[in-house]
Amino acid sequence: MIVLAILFGALGGALFAGFAGAAMGALLGYGLWETLSLRKRLSLLERDVEGLRSRLTLPSVETAVEQHGGEEAPLPDLTPGASETVGTGSAAPPEAPAFQEWQPEWIEDVPGTPTQANPPGDAGQRSGRSIPDSLNRFLSGGSLLVRTGIVVLFFGVSFLVKYAAERDLLPIELRLTGAALGGLLLLAVGWRLRHGKPAYAHALQGGGAGVLYLTIFAAFRLYGLLTPFTAFSFLVAVAVLSSLLAVFQDSRSLAVLGASGGFLAPVLASTGAGSHVALFSYYSLLNLGIAGISWFRAWRILNLVGFAFTFVIGLSWGWRWYRPEYFSSTEPFLVLFFLVYTCIAVLFALRQPPDLKGYLDATLVFGTPVVSFALQAMLVEPYRFGLAWSALVLGLFYIALAMLLFRKRLHCLRTLAEAFFAFGVVFGTLAIPLALDSRWTAAAWALEGAAILWAGIRQGRRTARAFGILLQFGGGISFLADLHVSAGTLPVLNGLFLGYGLMALTGLFSAWCLWRHRDEVSRVEVVFGHLLLGWGLLWWLSGGLNEIGRHVAADWTVGAVLWFLPLSSLACDLAGKRLAWPAMAWPALALAPMLYLCALALAGDGINPLAEGGWFGWPAAFFVCYLLLYRNDDRDPRLLGALHAATLWLLTGVITLEAAWRLGQWPPASPVWPLAALGLVPACCVLLVSGPGERLSWPTARHQDAYLTLGSGPPALFAWLWLLYANLSSSGDPAPMRYLPVLNPLDLTTGFVLVSLALLERRLRLRLPDPFDGPAGRRAFLSAFAATVFLWLNGVVVRTVHHWGGVTFSLPDLHHSLLLQATLSIFWSLLALCAMLYAARSGGRPVWFTGTALLGAVVLKLFIVDLSGTGTVARIVSFVVVGVLLLVIGYFAPVPPRNPEEERP
């Protein structure tokens, strides 16, 4: 329902005044809903009071016991004379103080009129009444005719005065005297009937006061029969008289009728001409009269009537007639309006009954600064820094007022003082972007939304919290709509960045408030708290990156980003530890993913990692990244292991890309140099982790399993895939150096990769024997490792034939080269000889059969490939050498005997 009220208000405002009207309509819709909600809460409180009153006036204790289901009544009767009413057994002790009833201000009891308590059943019926029931009760009540008659009479007198003035029917003095006498007659009759018919009497007195307001204002402004001093003296007298009558008779309706008539008098008698100074001076007197009443009575409806009339009429006059030259004669009245209703808000909290003392009128507490600031924005629009100075003065005023209330040490006003202090901080902060940019609407909405959310948490009001959250999202949308507006030229101290910062600050503050009071809010609001945390962080990161793009030179952009992101994550971690806010650890630990995005962006743009300031940005980023991991070392080991591994991958990738780019920029270098760097750096990472890295107490020794498995696994896999690709696709040209087999960049890097893989496998078998030291795992690794070594050695042979034999490095030419085919046949035979000799000595039958299979491949190759060639020398040499090797193998490497253990079933 609150959402519907806000939406309908915004829709109605948009129909009249566009976007500004929609904003104001939304505020009015919210205020209307808050008023209805408060009336509902007051009706519940009235029911409780009626129930207590009925229990205090019961005829006997036995009756009270029966009404409580046989149990003793929880509240004994302590009123004077109760001992005679309930009997001797329930007489109160002599020292017991009398129970002093408090009668709520919405129940008007006239002194001298006895009040008959309603029975409990009636109180229950009253609590169940809905808004239609209340409307039906109002329409069927006896005072409806009186109220309607007074309203009709007031409008009739207004139209009569206006009609007579237009047609000169009677002398003006006579007309005004008659109207004044009529008003005095209504006052006299109402005062006479105040005891017998109080509601009727109050209505007559209110109408009489309204007629007097109308008559005096017409005599002064329309006809000039009264001097300003005389007219305002009469107006003050009528205001004081109405206030005194309302206070003496404890009549809220009289006060509302008198105030409404006073506010409507200038509107009804207006001819479109006159002095706005006279109008606002008159309204100032009325508002001072309402302030005087609030000193004695906490009548919220009267305060809201004066607030609404002054704001609506003042806004309508300003929208139609205000011009910059009216500033000096209009600003004092706006300041007075603000001061009066701020004072009324404080008095309302002070004048509450004991059980409700300190209760805030949210409409005045929050509506007064919002409305006043909006009107002030209209007045100071022609002045460059007018709104900024206004916000600064307003912030200082609220902080001073909060300090004054804090020094009074009144516990009942602590919430009000905290609200004023929050407004002081809000407007003081708002003065900065207002002085530098024009995006005040979005910033004001976001800051007010945070303040309303905070107050809603303090007062336990869900609707206020919901509205505060919606207001922040609305402020963000409004801010995005103004992004096209040019910003200042100063770095950081410009409206755009400070606006981003304010949006982020309000989101983070709101998220923290919802987290801190998570036991007092609903689960949905806790979820919204997490959304606000992400909302605030997104605004902060967007603003920072935008500021870097606008003001940092292109040669330093990457470095600035790589400093901004880690410092932001570190600030989140420090804030989370300081505020005991666990959710802030997630943006701190998200630094590694953000650095991944930076690396991908650089790679996508073809920029090497250390370019554009990366040389000083990446070291700082990795330092902060590991610092955050160290500060959060007590978290879930699986999460920490993944983050450590991801950081190691990123570090390896950055060094790999930079090394490859640097070697690629070396003018005389061939493509094999950057290719070798792509395999060398991951192999070094694997070697350091599986070797000397374990001697570091943190992080490798602390998270050794994570570094050996998840951390080293992807670099090792990348190095192995690189080995396969490089040996299958590269010719290994080491220009500007001469090619030497094995002693060249490609082969040395391949050997280094193989060594690192072997050391990693050995370290894994020792550290984690269960998955890695079993027969199946061991056999699989040795088979893959042997196949990789075989591929590398064949690559060495092919590259040697290419460089020393003059064979073009392409698949068709290599396939048809008899020199390469003969060399491969001899090389494979030598490998088979070595394998079978080793197997014959060690008894490894699988190795021996592998050598046999390799020899079979050699024989097939000789008769299928080599016989198809035309080179006789290569063919003869290959056949002779292979034949001799077969004889040697047959004599020195017989098949090993079968292991007896293998024959067992």
Side-chain angles (χ1 to χ4, degrees):
M1 295 300 293
I2 178 63
V3 177
L4 293 178
I6 295 174
L7 290 178
F8 281 122
L11 181 61
L15 294 176
F16 289 97
F19 184 75
M24 195 59 61
L27 290 175
L28 292 178
Y30 170 72
L32 178 61
W33 177 258
E34 282 295 307
T35 303
L36 295 177
S37 301
L38 183 59
R39 290 180 63 87
K40 181 178 179 181
R41 294 170 63 185
L42 292 180
S43 66
L44 294 176
L45 183 59
E46 180 184 355
R47 179 199 64 182
D48 296 339
V49 172
E50 293 293 341
L52 290 174
R53 183 181 297 158
S54 64
R55 285 157 54 186
L56 292 172
T57 57
L58 290 178
S60 65
V61 176
E62 289 78 12
T63 306
V65 173
E66 290 176 1
Q67 289 185 356
H68 288 80
E71 297 180 359
E72 185 179 356
L75 286 179
D77 194 350
L78 299 178
T79 56
S83 58
E84 292 80 8
T85 304
V86 298
T88 59
S90 60
E95 65 274 11
F99 182 81
Q100 184 174 355
E101 285 190 35
W102 166 72
Q103 195 167 22
E105 44 118 345
W106 54 87
I107 303 177
E108 297 184 9
D109 288 338
V110 180
T113 303
T115 302
Q116 183 176 358
N118 295 328
D122 184 64
Q125 293 175 1
R126 291 179 64 183
S127 65
R129 288 171 179 162
S130 60
I131 295 178
D133 296 334
S134 302
L135 181 61
N136 182 48
R137 186 170 70 255
F138 174 81
L139 294 175
S140 60
S143 61
L144 174 62
L145 296 177
V146 181
R147 297 172 186 172
T148 306
I150 289 297
V151 173
V152 172
L153 176 62
F154 181 78
F155 277 86
V157 171
S158 302
F159 294 145
L160 176 61
V161 171
K162 193 172 184 179
Y163 179 81
E166 292 174 352
R167 290 165 175 76
D168 294 329
L169 298 180
L170 295 173
I172 186 58
E173 293 82 359
L174 183 60
R175 293 196 300 265
L176 294 178
T177 303
L181 290 176
L184 292 174
L185 179 63
L186 290 176
L187 284 174
V189 173
W191 179 260
R192 177 69 177 173
L193 300 176
R194 68 187 185 279
H195 296 302
K197 297 181 178 180
Y200 186 83
H202 296 164
L204 291 180
Q205 293 176 61
V211 170
L212 290 178
Y213 279 127
L214 174 64
T215 304
I216 297 171
F217 187 82
F220 166 62
R221 182 175 175 183
L222 301 182
Y223 307 112
L225 299 179
L226 298 177
T227 63
F229 177 77
T230 305
F232 282 105
S233 300
F234 283 137
L235 290 173
V236 170
V238 174
V240 172
L241 177 62
S242 300
S243 302
L244 292 177
L245 290 175
V247 173
F248 289 157
Q249 301 176 72
D250 199 15
S251 173
R252 183 180 54 173
S253 61
L254 173 58
V256 172
L257 284 174
S260 301
F263 281 106
L264 286 174
V267 178
L268 298 175
S270 174
T271 60
S275 171
H276 66 280
V277 176
L279 175 66
F280 292 142
S281 300
Y282 169 71
Y283 278 170
S284 299
L285 289 176
L286 292 180
N287 288 322
L288 289 174
I290 293 175
I293 294 177
S294 66
W295 182 270
F296 301 98
R297 295 289 186 271
W299 287 339
R300 185 171 186 265
I301 185 62
L302 177 63
N303 301 336
L304 294 181
V305 165
F307 180 83
F309 269 117
T310 305
F311 168 65
V312 172
I313 296 175
L315 180 63
S316 112
W317 176 87
W319 192 269
R320 295 181 58 188
W321 307 106
Y322 177 75
R323 293 194 299 271
E325 54 267 25
Y326 290 163
F327 176 78
S328 60
S329 59
T330 307
E331 177 72 9
F333 296 107
L334 178 59
V335 174
L336 182 60
F337 166 76
F338 168 75
L339 293 176
V340 166
Y341 281 96
T342 302
C343 178
I344 289 176
V346 177
L347 291 175
F348 181 82
L350 282 173
R351 295 295 180 265
Q352 292 295 321
D355 294 340
L356 297 178
K357 190 172 289 292
Y359 185 79
L360 301 186
D361 186 349
T363 304
L364 290 184
V365 172
F366 295 101
T368 300
V370 172
V371 167
S372 301
F373 197 66
L375 295 175
Q376 181 73 0
M378 297 173 57
L379 297 183
V380 300
E381 184 178 1
Y383 306 99
R384 182 178 180 185
F385 297 110
L387 201 58
W389 283 110
S390 302
L392 179 60
V393 172
L394 198 59
L396 294 177
F397 169 79
Y398 269 118
I399 291 177
L401 183 58
M403 293 297 101
L404 178 62
L405 295 179
F406 277 127
R407 289 180 180 177
K408 294 296 183 182
R409 300 186 182 275
L410 296 176
H411 180 72
C412 60
L413 296 182
R414 181 172 180 83
T415 303
L416 182 63
E418 291 176 351
F420 285 162
F421 185 80
F423 273 122
V425 175
V426 162
F427 283 106
T429 307
L430 189 61
I432 300 175
L434 292 178
L436 302 172
D437 210 304
S438 60
R439 296 176 177 86
W440 67 272
T441 304
W445 283 3
L447 291 169
E448 294 300 329
I452 293 173
L453 175 65
W454 170 82
I457 293 174
R458 297 281 301 181
Q459 298 182 5
R461 299 170 59 195
R462 180 177 296 181
T463 54
R465 298 195 297 267
F467 184 71
I469 294 174
L470 291 177
L471 200 58
Q472 291 188 65
F473 288 129
I477 296 174
S478 176
F479 189 89
L480 292 177
D482 290 336
L483 283 180
H484 63 279
V485 180
S486 60
T489 58
L490 289 176
V492 179
L493 296 178
N494 60 81
L496 183 60
F497 177 72
L498 293 177
Y500 273 110
L502 289 176
M503 299 298 297
L505 181 62
T506 55
L508 295 176
F509 174 76
S510 301
W512 177 71
C513 288
L514 290 172
W515 164 257
R516 184 182 180 186
H517 301 276
R518 58 192 179 277
D519 296 333
E520 305 170 16
V521 300
S522 63
R523 292 184 177 180
V524 176
E525 290 174 301
V526 173
V527 174
F528 270 100
H530 296 311
L531 293 178
L532 285 171
L533 174 60
W535 171 267
L537 292 173
L538 185 61
W539 279 106
W540 172 253
L541 294 177
S542 301
L545 296 177
N546 180 73
E547 192 71 6
I548 291 172
R550 292 177 63 243
H551 295 286
V552 177
D555 294 339
W556 307 96
T557 302
V558 175
V561 171
L562 292 176
W563 272 80
F564 170 72
L565 295 177
L567 291 179
S568 300
S569 296
L570 183 59
C572 290
D573 185 70
L574 293 174
K577 294 287 196 305
R578 178 68 177 83
L579 301 175
W581 190 6
M584 287 296 281
W586 293 108
L589 296 176
L591 176 59
M594 290 190 291
L595 295 180
Y596 268 97
L597 294 178
C598 292
L600 291 175
L602 293 177
D605 292 339
I607 303 173
N608 62 300
L610 299 188
E612 298 182 2
W615 59 270
F616 68 87
W618 283 110
F622 283 112
F623 173 78
V624 175
C625 195
Y626 276 105
L627 177 62
L628 292 174
L629 291 175
Y630 180 78
R631 289 174 54 86
N632 293 272
D633 206 40
D634 56 345
R635 294 191 173 273
D636 185 6
R638 292 176 297 179
L639 174 63
L640 288 177
L643 291 174
H644 277 278
T647 306
L648 179 64
W649 303 342
L650 181 62
L651 177 61
T652 304
V654 169
I655 297 176
T656 300
L657 293 176
E658 183 63 26
W661 185 85
R662 293 290 174 181
L663 290 174
Q665 299 302 308
W666 188 22
S670 68
V672 76
W673 292 95
L675 180 64
L678 294 177
L680 180 63
V681 177
C684 290
C685 171
V686 174
L687 187 63
L688 290 174
V689 171
S690 58
E694 65 180 0
R695 289 192 285 269
L696 292 174
S697 60
W698 192 92
T700 51
R702 169 76 173 173
H703 304 278
Q704 190 172 15
D705 294 346
Y707 273 93
L708 285 175
T709 55
L710 190 60
S712 300
L717 178 62
F718 179 86
W720 180 69
L721 294 175
W722 170 88
L723 186 152
L724 299 181
Y725 170 78
N727 282 276
L728 290 175
S729 63
S730 176
S731 63
D733 182 15
M737 300 171 58
R738 296 187 60 182
Y739 178 82
L740 292 176
V742 180
L743 299 177
N744 60 80
L746 184 59
D747 291 333
L748 290 175
T749 304
T750 302
F752 193 79
V753 170
L754 292 172
V755 171
S756 65
L757 294 176
L759 290 177
L760 177 62
E761 190 271 340
R762 177 178 176 274
R763 192 77 186 92
L764 287 173
R765 282 192 295 109
L766 295 175
R767 178 67 182 176
L768 304 171
D770 291 338
F772 293 100
D773 199 27
R778 177 69 174 166
R779 188 180 301 113
F781 173 77
L782 290 177
S783 300
F785 190 80
T788 303
V789 172
F790 178 74
L791 175 66
W792 170 49
L793 294 176
N794 280 274
V796 173
V797 172
V798 171
R799 288 188 291 273
T800 303
V801 171
H802 162 64
H803 287 284
W804 288 2
V807 180
T808 305
F809 193 81
S810 64
L811 184 60
D813 294 334
L814 294 174
H815 176 71
H816 293 95
S817 172
L818 286 178
L819 176 60
L820 176 61
Q821 300 303 328
T823 305
L824 288 177
S825 299
I826 297 172
F827 178 67
W828 288 3
S829 300
L830 289 174
L831 289 179
L833 173 63
C834 295
M836 298 175 74
L837 288 174
Y838 170 78
R841 300 295 186 273
S842 61
R845 291 172 62 86
V847 178
W848 191 90
F849 284 115
T850 301
T852 303
L854 185 58
L855 282 177
V858 171
V859 173
L860 289 176
K861 180 177 176 301
L862 286 174
F863 288 96
I864 295 176
V865 179
D866 294 350
L867 284 178
S868 63
T870 58
T872 57
V873 176
R875 183 190 310 164
I876 293 173
V877 171
S878 61
F879 271 85
V880 171
V881 172
V882 171
V884 171
L885 291 176
L886 288 174
L887 294 176
V888 172
I889 292 172
Y891 182 79
F892 291 102
V895 59
R898 185 183 298 274
N899 190 348
E901 296 182 357
E902 296 178 356
E903 297 178 357
R904 296 178 183 178

